[in-house]
């Protein structure tokens, strides 16, 4: 406890008396100083008229007062903390802590010690009450009329702002209880504040503070303080970014007409109302959920926005501008040839600088309600922001009120804004790669691609919260979340779950999914993200590369990053960094697992699915922007973390493997060489290289065609192989890149073929046409002896069930023999496989691998080739029986025929449709052999327009039966 001498008390009393004369600001300051001196324990406080705004009489903020100090009916007082985004904690031990410390180590720690401590607390509490009461009587009553404004209500006009930010489809915006604003950076938005009295422009001070992350920082760009300046009531945002290329003169003459929606280069909202005319406020036309006020505990009922002015009010006239100049496919050009003679490059640079800042202006004052317009710069970090309204009086900065708005403000990337690094200047591409809620992911084999419908559902109310949680788990600094390069790299690491993190989904490839959900049972991303959130961030089981790719599309499009799914057929996984995929076979044609030294883990996947994201690469030289590769499938560690990309597609195509990120790895997946070695006793090292007709890496690269949708077939595929690699795989540039990266010239001899002049027997593995599931098939190898002598040939022909990763699951059938082929003659080796031989051995995707191998004894010619094909399963028919309408029950029929001669057990359907049906799993009875299944389900549409419904059927004996249909829902 502190003690104050009598002399000191008299001196302070004198100081207080002299300072209080006239009760001016100086008097209040003196009073505050005196009170602080008298206080036994000082702590950070907000003061109003020299009095702490969070004051609770007594020392409960400093002492642990026991219950005997409380009066009947009172509750224990808890320490009051300073509210607001600028609150700080000053470490230090209170007097009570010191007292307890002394008691703990006192040699006289009797049972009365605690009583003594509580007694001194109570006595000090009573003394401070008396002193505080005496001081309060000295403050004139009219001083309290100078209190700062109090916020009663805020309104972010979520629905109206969303129309100009292209976010009106997000379900969070349309929530009926508490709509959350979903905004895109690089644009303006409106919001209103209702105070408890009329704003005094001369004395009231208002600051709007936006905070992001657990430790908001002004210098890091995660805390923004905007002071309201009434001198700029007419908005300072007179000029859109797109106006810069149209001339400065037109900015003074903005017409009040509206350009057609969907014009290219649309950015933000622009006020066109003169400074002297009344400014219209935005008015919502639907219901709002009104939050609690800052001083009331009562919740207001749902009603029209209380911040909308009474009477019929129109929205502000908003003009959209689109640049008429031609832009490159990706760049930050403002146009050329249209600059106004009124402006200069210095003025343009000044405007650009101003537009890259947060800013605020007053749009309208209507009684106690003020409508603001805020500009979010195109470089702002993406994520969930919070808004605080700070009010104070002139000259009394510490005398303030802080009000935290209830809404979570989602700020996203903006592909409609030229200044955003994810800007995409093609409106059709934006509709596909940002706004399209469904798509197709390609599986199968390179000769027989199979497109699978996938519901991305990026506007579902669970998606954005899940995205934000994943970004938090990634460890990416909040200040770096405005950089799409860093954000996409973080996404690629958090989709897959490894031992060192809690990513979104666990990958599994062995076909054992009993303790989770089969990857083939998912119809889209929403169910996965919702399960992840409801399970407290526990990774979801199970997924594979194409599921990971669908999740990446969902998350990137939800955040505003243009994204597409890409499938690479015959994708190399080079673990030794030699740009080769090495496979070894013994003399009988059996593959040697992991090579002769058991240290080769190379593999060649039948297909591998990754993603392309669209952005400008400011960290790379010019010419490498546009599509960038990211891969969320865990294959190789980079920087001790399983993540991959973004790697520039153009850099991969050119072989510029020195550019970030993971460009050599992606180049290897597309350009590595498949090297097959067979055991040979006359070889110096025990193996010889075998030639192959056509099996090579990166055979075909597909994505969905943005201009087509095929719900019944696969005509909507788009081959983009030339964007990734040169057509000629033996071009000098490719060989030069591989040689420079490999760096093992001394090993080159082992990768060279024997003398091709000695190869006089031609081998050819015939392609297999489409084979329906449950039907037999034949594997055929043609042999032609082109020499003038007989040749003794050893042949092996094998059919195996394999995973899509290229790993063999089980052998189906094998034919092997040694025979003589006469000079100039042909022979045919055929292998017949029946359904009984493969039915219970097939695994995921029902892929069969055919491997052929031959060896000519006389010339030591070695040849090998392989081919893969999927067994085609029946397609499900999805039919909507009546005209669906919003809010009315409608039925859908799912039908298919069992092609097998066995019962299907453990059956279930999965149905999903954005705006029509949330993901739903339906258990179904056993299906008889050959039975035609016809199941009817009901749904209630929530949104109007063209809606797709996707359904799958899974069972223990057969899965991957899926179908899709389009439902035109009336509003």
């Amino acid at each position: 406890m502190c003690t104050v001498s009598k002399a000191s008390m008299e001196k302070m009393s004198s100081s207080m008396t002299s300072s209080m004369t006239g009760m001016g600001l100086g008097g209040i300051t003196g009073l505050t100083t005196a009170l602080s001196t008298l206080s036994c324990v000082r702590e950070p406080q907000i003061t109003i008229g020299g009095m702490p705004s969070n004051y609770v009489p007594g020392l409960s903020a400093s002492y642990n007062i026991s219950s005997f100090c409380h009066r009947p009916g009172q509750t224990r007082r808890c320490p009051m903390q300073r509210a607001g985004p600028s609150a700080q904690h000053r470490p230090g031990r209170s007097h009570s802590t010191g007292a307890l410390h002394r008691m703990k180590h006192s040699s006289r720690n009797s049972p009365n010690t605690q009583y003594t401590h509580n007694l001194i607390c109570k006595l000090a509490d009573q003394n401070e009450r008396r002193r505080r009461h005496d001081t309060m009587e000295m403050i004139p009553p009219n001083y309290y009329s100078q209190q700062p404004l109090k916020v009663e209500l805020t309104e972010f006009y979520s629905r109206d702002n969303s129309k100009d930010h292209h976010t009106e489809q997000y379900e969070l915006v349309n929530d009926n209880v508490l709509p959350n604003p979903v905004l895109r950076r690089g644009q303006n938005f409106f919001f209103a504040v209702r105070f408890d009295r009329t704003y005094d422009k001369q004395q009231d001070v208002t600051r709007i503070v936006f905070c992001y992350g657990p430790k908001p920082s002004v210098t890091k760009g995660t805390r923004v303080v905007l002071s309201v300046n009434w001198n700029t009531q007419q908005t300072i945002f007179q000029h859109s970014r797109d106006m810069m290329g149209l001339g400065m003169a037109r900015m003074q003459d903005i017409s009040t007409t509206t350009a057609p929606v969907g014009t290219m280069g649309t950015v933000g909202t622009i006020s066109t109302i003169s400074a002297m005319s009344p400014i219209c406020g935005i008015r919502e036309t639907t219901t709002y959920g009104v939050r609690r006020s800052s001083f009331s505990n009562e919740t207001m009922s749902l009603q029209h926005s209380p911040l909308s002015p009474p009477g019929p009010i129109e929205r502000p006239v908003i003009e959209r501008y689109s640049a008429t100049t031609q832009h490159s496919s990706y760049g930050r050009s403002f146009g050329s040839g249209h600059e106004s003679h009124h402006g200069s490059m210095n003025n343009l640079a000044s405007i650009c600088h101003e537009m890259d800042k947060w800013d605020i202006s007053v749009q309208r004052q209507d009684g106690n309600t003020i409508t603001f317009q805020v500009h979010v710069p195109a470089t702002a970090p993406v994520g969930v922001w919070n808004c605080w309204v700070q009010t104070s009086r002139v000259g009394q900065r510490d005398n303030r009120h802080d009000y935290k708005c209830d809404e979570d403000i989602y700020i996203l990337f903006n592909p409609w804004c030229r200044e955003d690094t994810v800007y995409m200047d093609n409106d059709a591409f934006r509709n596909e790669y940002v706004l399209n809620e469904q798509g197709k992911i390609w599986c199968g084999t390179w000769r027989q691609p199979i497109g699978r419908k996938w519901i991305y559902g990026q506007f579902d109310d669970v998606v954005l919260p899940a995205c934000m949680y994943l970004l938090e788990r990634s460890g990416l600094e909040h200040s770096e979340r405005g950089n799409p390069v860093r954000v996409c790299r973080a996404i690629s690491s958090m989709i897959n779950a490894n031992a060192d993190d809690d990513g979104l989904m666990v990958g599994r490839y062995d076909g054992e999914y009993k303790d989770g959900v089969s990857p083939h049972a998912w119809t889209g991303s929403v169910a996965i993200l919702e399960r992840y959130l409801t399970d407290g961030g526990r990774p979801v089981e199970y997924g594979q590369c194409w599921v990971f790719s669908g999740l990446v599309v969902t998350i990137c499009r939800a955040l505003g990053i243009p994204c597409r799914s890409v499938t690479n057929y015959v994708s190399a996984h080079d673990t030794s960094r030699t740009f080769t995929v090495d496979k070894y076979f013994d003399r009988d044609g059996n593959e040697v697992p992991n090579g002769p030294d058991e240290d080769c883990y190379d593999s060649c996947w039948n297909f591998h699915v990754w993603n392309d994201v669209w952005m400008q690469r400011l960290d790379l030289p010019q010419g490498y922007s546009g599509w960038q590769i990211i891969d969320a499938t865990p294959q190789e560690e980079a920087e001790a973390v399983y993540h991959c990309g973004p790697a520039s597609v153009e850099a991969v195509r050119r072989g510029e493997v020195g550019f970030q990120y993971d460009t050599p790895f992606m180049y290897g997946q597309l350009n590595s060489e498949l090297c097959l070695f067979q055991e040979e006793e006359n070889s110096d090292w025990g193996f010889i290289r075998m030639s192959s007709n056509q099996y090579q890496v990166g055979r075909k690269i597909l994505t969905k065609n943005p201009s087509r949708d095929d719900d019944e077939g696969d005509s909507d595929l788009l081959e983009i192989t030339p964007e990734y690699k040169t057509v000629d795989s033996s071009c000098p540039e490719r060989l030069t890149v591989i040689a420079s990266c490999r760096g093992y010239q001394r090993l080159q001899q082992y990768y060279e073929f024997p003398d091709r002049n000695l190869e006089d027997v031609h081998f050819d593995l015939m392609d297999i046409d489409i084979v329906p599931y449950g039907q037999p098939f034949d594997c055929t190898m043609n042999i032609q002896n082109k020499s003038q002598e007989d040749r003794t040939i050893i042949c092996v022909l094998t059919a195996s069930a394999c995973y899509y990763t290229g790993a063999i699951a089980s052998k189906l059938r094998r034919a092997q023999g040694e025979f003589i082929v006469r000079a100039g003659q042909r022979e045919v080796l055929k292998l017949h496989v029946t359904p009984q031989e493969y039915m219970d051995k097939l695994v995921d995707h029902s892929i069969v691998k055919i491997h052929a191998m031959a060896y000519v004894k006389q010339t030591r010619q070695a040849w090998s080739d392989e081919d893969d094909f999927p067994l085609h399963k029946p397609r499900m028919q999805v039919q909507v029986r009546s005209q669906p309408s919003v809010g009315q029950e409608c039925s859908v029929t799912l039908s298919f025929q069992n092609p097998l001669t066995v019962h299907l057990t453990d059956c279930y359907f999965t149905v999903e449709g954005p705006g029509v049906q949330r993901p739903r799993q339906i258990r179904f009875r056993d299906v008889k052999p050959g039975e035609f299944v016809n199941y009817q389900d009901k749904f209630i549409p929530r949104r109007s327009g063209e809606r797709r419904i996707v359904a799958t059927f899974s069972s223990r004996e057969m899965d991957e039966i899926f179908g899709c249909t389009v439902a035109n829902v009336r509003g």
Side-chain angles (χ1 to χ4, degrees):
M1 298 297 295
C2 66
T3 57
V4 182
S5 65
K6 181 177 181 181
S8 299
M9 289 288 293
E10 292 176 352
K11 182 177 180 180
M12 285 186 292
S13 176
S14 175
S15 174
M16 291 172 58
T17 303
S18 60
S19 299
M20 288 293 293
T21 304
M23 284 310 297
L25 182 60
I28 302 298
T29 305
L31 175 61
T32 306
T33 304
L35 291 175
S36 300
T37 307
L38 284 173
S39 177
C40 293
V41 179
R42 300 185 63 185
E43 58 181 15
Q45 293 176 330
I46 304 173
T47 59
I48 299 176
M51 303 300 297
S53 63
N54 61 352
Y55 170 68
V56 177
L59 298 176
S60 58
S62 304
Y63 291 96
N64 181 20
I65 305 175
S66 66
S67 58
F68 83 90
C69 297
H70 296 172
R71 297 177 182 177
Q74 288 186 330
T75 59
R76 185 185 303 274
R77 290 185 295 271
C78 299
M80 298 287 289
Q81 300 297 330
R82 178 173 179 173
S86 60
Q88 296 180 348
H89 172 70
R90 297 180 181 178
R93 192 170 63 179
S94 67
H95 286 211
S96 61
T97 305
L100 291 175
H101 179 78
R102 287 191 297 271
M103 284 195 305
K104 181 177 180 181
H105 298 281
S106 174
S107 59
R108 295 180 295 176
N109 191 10
S110 65
N112 293 330
T113 303
Q114 183 64 41
Y115 174 83
T116 305
H117 170 71
N118 293 333
L119 179 62
I120 192 62
C121 291
K122 184 179 76 169
L123 296 176
D125 179 56
Q126 294 172 349
N127 181 70
E128 186 176 349
R129 286 170 186 255
R130 291 190 294 271
R131 296 296 175 265
R132 188 70 65 176
H133 178 73
D134 295 341
T135 305
M136 294 285 287
E137 292 179 348
M138 300 171 64
I139 300 177
N142 63 353
Y143 180 82
Y144 292 100
S145 64
Q146 302 177 15
Q147 285 191 14
L149 291 163
K150 287 185 178 180
V151 177
E152 293 183 347
L153 191 65
T154 59
E155 178 57 63
F156 280 86
Y157 301 114
S158 300
R159 295 176 178 86
D160 274 293
N161 284 318
S162 68
K163 296 179 178 66
D164 298 310
H165 286 250
H166 306 278
T167 58
E168 65 273 17
Q169 297 185 61
Y170 285 88
E171 292 184 358
L172 290 175
V173 170
N174 299 291
D175 186 81
N176 290 325
V177 178
L178 182 63
N180 286 282
V182 180
L183 310 169
R184 297 195 188 274
R185 62 186 194 171
Q187 290 188 226
N188 310 326
F189 70 91
F190 295 91
F191 84 104
V193 181
R194 188 176 73 193
F195 297 103
D196 62 335
R197 59 175 173 80
T198 304
Y199 197 102
D200 185 347
K201 299 179 183 179
Q202 302 299 323
Q203 295 297 323
D204 286 323
V205 177
T206 301
R207 296 179 180 87
I208 309 299
V209 182
F210 293 94
C211 297
Y212 180 33
K215 296 180 180 179
S217 169
V218 172
T219 57
K220 292 183 179 181
T222 56
R223 180 171 179 263
V224 181
V225 182
L226 303 177
S227 297
V228 176
N229 185 358
W230 285 87
N231 296 327
T232 59
Q233 178 170 347
Q234 176 60 27
T235 174
I236 64 173
F237 307 122
Q238 296 294 314
H239 319 299
S240 160
R241 297 180 190 276
D242 290 334
M243 280 296 295
M244 296 177 184
L246 298 180
M248 301 293 293
R250 288 188 57 193
M251 297 183 183
Q252 308 299 326
D253 259 342
I254 299 179
S255 140
T256 57
T257 58
T258 303
V261 176
T263 54
M264 296 179 56
T266 301
V267 177
T269 57
I270 305 170
S271 176
T272 60
I273 308 171
S274 65
M276 299 301 295
S277 62
I279 301 175
C280 298
I282 294 183
R283 182 174 185 268
E284 292 274 20
T285 58
T286 52
T287 58
Y288 293 84
V290 182
R291 69 200 61 77
R292 298 175 185 270
S293 69
S294 58
F295 53 87
S296 172
N297 291 327
E298 297 182 359
T299 304
M300 299 178 66
S301 59
L302 290 176
Q303 55 180 322
H304 287 286
S305 173
L307 299 188
S308 298
I313 298 295
E314 298 180 356
R315 294 181 57 201
V317 180
I318 296 173
E319 173 129 10
R320 300 176 185 266
Y321 293 94
S322 61
T324 57
T325 56
Q326 295 295 324
H327 296 271
S328 61
S329 61
Y330 202 85
R332 300 181 73 164
S333 171
F334 295 119
S336 59
H338 295 273
E339 286 193 16
S340 169
H341 60 278
H342 294 281
S344 65
M345 292 305 296
N346 291 335
N347 292 334
L348 186 62
S350 175
I351 292 175
C352 291
H353 179 68
E354 292 299 323
M355 297 295 283
D356 281 337
K357 296 180 179 179
W358 289 79
D359 234 321
I360 190 170
S361 63
V362 177
Q363 285 295 305
R364 175 189 178 93
Q365 182 176 8
D366 184 22
N368 296 357
T369 300
I370 301 176
T371 303
F372 300 98
Q373 186 184 42
V374 176
H375 175 72
V376 183
T379 55
V382 168
V384 182
W385 290 71
N386 298 118
C387 180
W388 295 75
V389 182
Q390 295 180 348
T391 57
S392 62
R393 303 284 288 180
V394 172
Q396 302 178 31
R397 186 181 181 91
D398 290 337
N399 178 18
R400 77 162 189 256
H401 287 300
D402 288 339
Y403 177 88
K404 184 179 184 297
C405 304
D406 290 344
E407 294 89 345
D408 288 331
I409 305 171
Y410 290 85
I411 295 181
L412 311 179
F413 291 101
N414 192 353
W416 283 266
C417 175
R418 296 185 183 278
E419 289 304 298
D420 200 313
T421 47
V422 301
Y423 171 69
M424 180 175 271
D425 63 356
N426 187 305
D427 192 58
F429 284 178
R430 284 194 296 257
N431 288 333
E432 172 68 23
Y433 299 127
V434 180
L435 300 180
N436 197 350
E437 293 183 84
Q438 59 85 33
K440 188 172 283 189
I441 301 175
W442 299 94
C443 301
T445 62
W446 72 275
R447 281 199 183 94
Q448 299 178 28
I450 298 176
R452 178 180 181 129
K453 280 288 184 180
W454 190 263
I455 300 298
Y456 300 124
Q458 64 266 31
F459 303 124
D460 193 275
D461 59 6
V462 76
V463 173
L464 273 182
C467 293
M468 301 311 165
Y469 181 74
L470 285 169
L471 285 178
E472 292 299 324
R473 295 304 301 266
S474 72
L476 181 65
E477 290 289 338
H478 293 77
S479 58
E480 294 184 344
R481 297 183 191 180
N483 183 352
V485 174
R486 302 297 298 169
V487 170
C488 289
R489 192 158 177 80
I491 290 173
S492 74
S493 69
M494 288 307 298
I495 295 298
N496 62 81
N498 298 292
D500 57 345
D501 62 42
D502 289 327
L504 174 58
M505 175 162 268
V506 178
R508 191 155 190 172
Y509 306 88
D510 57 4
E512 297 295 330
Y513 312 121
K514 293 180 181 179
D515 56 341
V517 178
S518 167
H520 307 284
W522 303 111
T523 54
S525 305
V526 174
I528 299 171
L529 292 168
E530 187 162 25
R531 179 172 295 195
Y532 181 69
L533 282 186
T534 55
D535 286 352
R538 178 174 172 268
V540 181
E541 300 169 334
Y542 291 100
Q544 294 175 354
C545 71
W546 50 281
V547 180
F548 294 146
S549 177
L551 289 167
V552 169
V553 172
T554 299
I555 292 173
C556 288
R557 291 186 183 180
L559 294 177
I561 303 173
C563 183
R564 67 184 182 184
S565 179
V566 176
T567 301
N568 175 36
Y569 287 96
V570 192
S571 185
H573 183 198
D574 173 27
T575 59
S576 57
R577 308 296 174 91
T578 59
F579 284 86
T580 61
V581 176
D582 301 334
K583 291 187 177 182
Y584 297 87
F585 298 88
D586 60 18
R587 298 174 185 176
D588 297 326
N590 299 311
E591 186 173 354
V592 180
N594 303 330
D597 299 324
E598 297 186 356
D599 61 351
C600 179
Y601 304 99
D602 294 350
S603 62
C604 203
W605 294 28
N606 295 93
F607 68 88
H608 181 48
V609 190
W610 59 64
N611 297 88
D612 285 348
V613 288
W614 181 273
M615 67 182 69
Q616 187 173 2
R617 290 299 297 272
L618 302 179
D619 57 327
L620 299 182
Q622 187 175 2
Y624 295 96
S625 295
W627 289 118
Q628 314 288 316
I629 306 169
I630 61 174
D631 190 353
T633 303
Q635 289 185 318
E636 292 287 328
E637 284 188 345
E639 301 169 358
V641 179
Y642 281 101
H643 53 193
C644 183
S648 169
V649 171
E650 182 61 18
V652 172
R653 188 187 70 82
R654 295 183 187 181
E656 300 286 356
V657 295
F659 292 144
Q660 298 191 97
Y661 289 89
D662 307 303
T663 306
F665 181 77
M666 297 307 305
Y667 187 86
Q669 292 196 67
L670 295 159
N671 296 280
S672 291
E673 190 172 4
L674 182 63
C675 296
L676 307 177
F677 299 94
Q678 185 181 23
E679 188 177 10
E680 215 272 344
E681 59 184 3
N682 296 323
S683 170
D684 294 336
W685 66 292
F687 289 86
I688 61 172
R689 175 83 182 274
M690 294 187 290
S691 62
S692 178
N693 288 4
Q694 57 186 2
Y695 203 80
Q696 64 185 43
V697 168
R699 291 302 299 264
K700 185 181 290 185
I701 304 172
L702 299 181
T703 189
K704 179 189 174 296
N705 192 326
S707 60
R708 297 197 63 179
D709 280 298
D710 187 354
D711 297 321
E712 299 295 331
D714 294 325
S715 63
D716 52 352
L717 64 80
L718 176 66
E719 183 171 359
I720 55 175
T721 308
E723 295 184 30
Y724 276 86
K725 57 187 297 185
T726 56
V727 178
D728 184 7
S729 61
S730 61
C731 65
E733 291 82 2
R734 172 182 174 274
L735 299 178
T736 300
V737 171
I738 292 178
S740 63
C741 293
R742 183 178 294 167
Y744 301 115
Q745 295 299 326
R746 62 185 180 86
L747 303 180
Q748 200 65 29
Q749 57 177 317
Y750 301 111
Y751 292 102
E752 293 177 351
F753 287 108
D755 188 357
R756 290 294 184 96
N757 295 324
L758 300 178
E759 296 182 357
D760 50 18
V761 179
H762 178 73
F763 301 95
D764 187 21
L765 181 62
M766 302 300 292
D767 298 340
I768 297 179
D769 294 331
I770 294 177
V771 179
Y773 195 85
Q775 297 297 315
F777 60 87
D778 293 321
C779 311
T780 304
M781 181 174 71
N782 292 331
I783 306 170
Q784 181 181 7
N785 184 1
K786 296 182 179 181
S787 70
Q788 302 300 319
E789 300 176 1
D790 295 346
R791 295 297 185 221
T792 303
I793 301 174
I794 301 175
C795 287
V796 178
L797 188 59
T798 307
S800 305
C802 75
Y803 299 100
Y804 84 98
T805 60
I808 300 298
S810 59
K811 296 286 181 62
L812 302 179
R813 194 170 183 188
R814 172 188 173 96
Q816 180 178 3
E818 178 178 334
F819 50 89
I820 297 175
V821 180
R822 302 298 179 183
Q825 296 297 312
R826 295 174 180 267
E827 292 289 343
V828 176
L829 184 62
K830 183 175 290 188
L831 185 66
H832 182 75
V833 181
T834 64
Q836 291 73 24
E837 291 175 306
Y838 69 73
M839 193 66 68
D840 58 344
K841 297 179 181 179
L842 294 178
V843 291
D844 291 343
H845 303 279
S846 302
I847 294 177
V848 176
K849 179 182 286 293
I850 308 299
H851 181 247
M853 200 171 70
Y855 180 75
V856 182
K857 284 189 173 183
Q858 288 83 358
T859 60
R860 298 177 59 195
Q861 176 186 349
W863 171 88
S864 179
D865 205 356
E866 57 186 56
D867 189 23
D868 311 295
F869 68 93
L871 293 170
H872 285 251
K873 297 177 181 179
R875 184 177 291 270
M876 182 187 299
Q877 298 297 320
V878 182
Q879 295 178 317
V880 178
R881 292 300 182 182
S882 59
Q883 175 66 54
S885 299
V886 173
Q888 297 182 8
E889 188 177 83
C890 184
S891 62
V892 60
T893 302
L894 314 176
S895 57
F896 71 95
Q897 186 172 13
N898 178 11
L900 306 182
T901 58
V902 298
H903 282 77
L904 304 182
T905 60
D906 293 339
C907 305
Y908 59 92
F909 290 94
T910 305
V911 185
E912 180 179 1
V916 173
Q917 173 66 61
R918 292 188 61 80
R920 182 175 172 220
Q921 194 175 94
I922 307 160
R923 285 290 170 184
F924 194 65
R925 58 174 174 80
D926 292 353
V927 177
K928 299 176 183 178
E931 179 185 354
F932 185 82
V933 177
N934 193 19
Y935 173 75
Q936 188 175 81
D937 192 26
K938 297 185 182 297
F939 63 92
I940 300 177
R942 306 187 309 276
R943 287 189 280 165
S944 61
E946 190 177 272
R947 302 293 167 188
R948 279 180 170 78
I949 302 175
V950 176
T952 66
F953 174 85
S954 299
S955 68
R956 180 175 299 179
E957 292 74 18
M958 182 177 63
D959 54 13
E960 298 180 271
I961 298 178
F962 48 84
C964 177
T965 192
V966 178
N968 292 307
V969 181
R970 291 184 300 193

